[in-house]
Amino acid sequence: MNIFISGWAGFREALGDIPDGWDFICPFIDFNEDELLEFLREKSGQTVVGWSTGGHIILKNLNFFADRFEEIIVVAGFIKFTKYVNSRVLRRMIERMAKMPEEVVKEFLIRAGCISSFPKFEKAKLIEGLNFLTSSEVVDFPQINSTLLLVHGSQDKIVPVNALKDLVYAFPFAKSFMLAGAHWIDFKKILKVRTPGCTRGSY
């Protein structure tokens, strides 16, 4: 079993190249954090990939995921979102989501380097996700037996590359990779970091 846990407004349609063989979860659209952990409680597999908010949830519950997956890949992850993005930006997004949700989602996807395509959605669920990002923080940094790979796009306009530096410091046993790309990086490129001999980042 391989699972992809997406980011805020990270609909499958917007990412474009997630293989059909991967189970796909969009946080807060499908499950909030607690519901996601409950859904996965009796499941296990080879690889879990978490992007942005999905990666943050994985890092926040790292022992839980390490007990269930042999390999963990976190893309554009962060310890606390508001350490890198002013909380006023999130408050403004929340205000605009209440009035023009489709426009906010489209703007975000374009800035993230995604396809500006998405299905109908419940704006309340995405607002819940933004509220989550205003305060959620990784507070435990365990050593794990699973492989942990940290990936970040060099042109990320959503989460600055400093977030990767902080993760490398917090998880010194992890392998880190700075790839050419935006907040979203083509999935095939992400999976290539598993290839023996792939050049690690300088962090």
Side-chain angles (χ1 to χ4, degrees), residues 99-135:
K99 302 173 182 177
M100 50 186 73
E102 289 83 6
E103 183 175 326
V104 174
V105 169
K106 183 177 180 179
E107 289 174 0
F108 167 78
L109 292 175
I110 292 171
R111 186 170 174 79
C114 301
I115 302 166
S116 58
S117 175
F118 48 89
K120 291 183 178 180
F121 58 84
E122 294 180 41
K123 66 180 181 182
K125 291 186 175 182
L126 288 183
I127 290 173
E128 181 185 0
L130 292 174
N131 281 315
F132 170 82
L133 290 173
T134 63
S135 59

Side-chain angles (χ1 to χ4, degrees), residues 3-13 22-37 39 57 119-122 124-126 128-129:
I3 295 180
F4 179 84
I5 305 175
S6 194
W8 185 84
F11 303 99
R12 186 185 282 268
E13 294 89 336
W22 283 69
D23 289 337
F24 188 99
I25 297 172
C26 191
F28 297 96
I29 292 295
D30 296 318
F31 307 108
N32 64 28
E33 181 182 16
D34 291 338
E35 291 167 344
L36 173 59
L37 298 181
F39 174 74
I57 290 173
K120 291 183 178 180
F121 58 84
E122 294 180 41
K125 291 186 175 182
L126 288 183
E128 181 185 0

Side-chain angles (χ1 to χ4, degrees), residues 40-163:
L40 295 176
R41 194 166 301 282
E42 303 302 323
K43 296 177 174 60
S44 62
Q46 172 65 34
T47 303
V48 57
V49 177
W51 173 53
S52 195
T53 298
H56 171 74
I57 290 173
I58 289 173
L59 293 173
K60 193 176 173 185
N61 302 278
L62 192 56
N63 277 327
F64 176 92
F65 284 92
D67 286 344
R68 290 161 178 80
F69 295 92
E70 297 176 26
E71 179 181 58
I72 298 168
I73 304 176
V74 171
V75 183
F78 48 85
I79 291 173
K80 186 175 184 180
F81 190 72
T82 52
K83 179 177 180 180
Y84 311 102
V85 178
N86 194 300
S87 60
R88 287 177 294 183
V89 174
L90 287 175
R91 289 198 294 270
R92 176 61 178 154
M93 285 182 70
I94 291 168
E95 291 172 0
R96 293 184 65 219
M97 279 293 296
K99 302 173 182 177
M100 50 186 73
E102 289 83 6
E103 183 175 326
V104 174
V105 169
K106 183 177 180 179
E107 289 174 0
F108 167 78
L109 292 175
I110 292 171
R111 186 170 174 79
C114 301
I115 302 166
S116 58
S117 175
F118 48 89
K120 291 183 178 180
F121 58 84
E122 294 180 41
K123 66 180 181 182
K125 291 186 175 182
L126 288 183
I127 290 173
E128 181 185 0
L130 292 174
N131 281 315
F132 170 82
L133 290 173
T134 63
S135 59
S136 183
E137 182 175 3
V138 179
V139 294
D140 294 319
F141 307 95
Q143 172 78 45
I144 59 172
N145 292 324
S146 300
T147 298
L148 176 60
L149 307 178
L150 305 171
V151 180
H152 210 98
S154 60
Q155 321 294 265
D156 194 330
K157 295 180 180 179
I158 304 296
V159 178
V161 296
N162 282 345

Side-chain angles (χ1 to χ4, degrees), residues 178-189:
M178 181 72 72
L179 303 182
H183 188 55
W184 173 243
I185 303 168
D186 290 345
F187 194 63
K188 290 180 181 177
K189 188 184 291 187

Side-chain angles (χ1 to χ4, degrees), residues 164-195:
L164 177 61
K165 295 181 182 180
D166 291 342
L167 290 181
V168 170
Y169 180 81
F171 301 101
F173 58 88
K175 295 181 180 179
S176 62
F177 303 85
M178 181 72 72
L179 303 182
H183 188 55
W184 173 243
I185 303 168
D186 290 345
F187 194 63
K188 290 180 181 177
K189 188 184 291 187
I190 293 168
L191 294 185
K192 283 182 179 179
V193 302
R194 304 185 299 176
T195 305

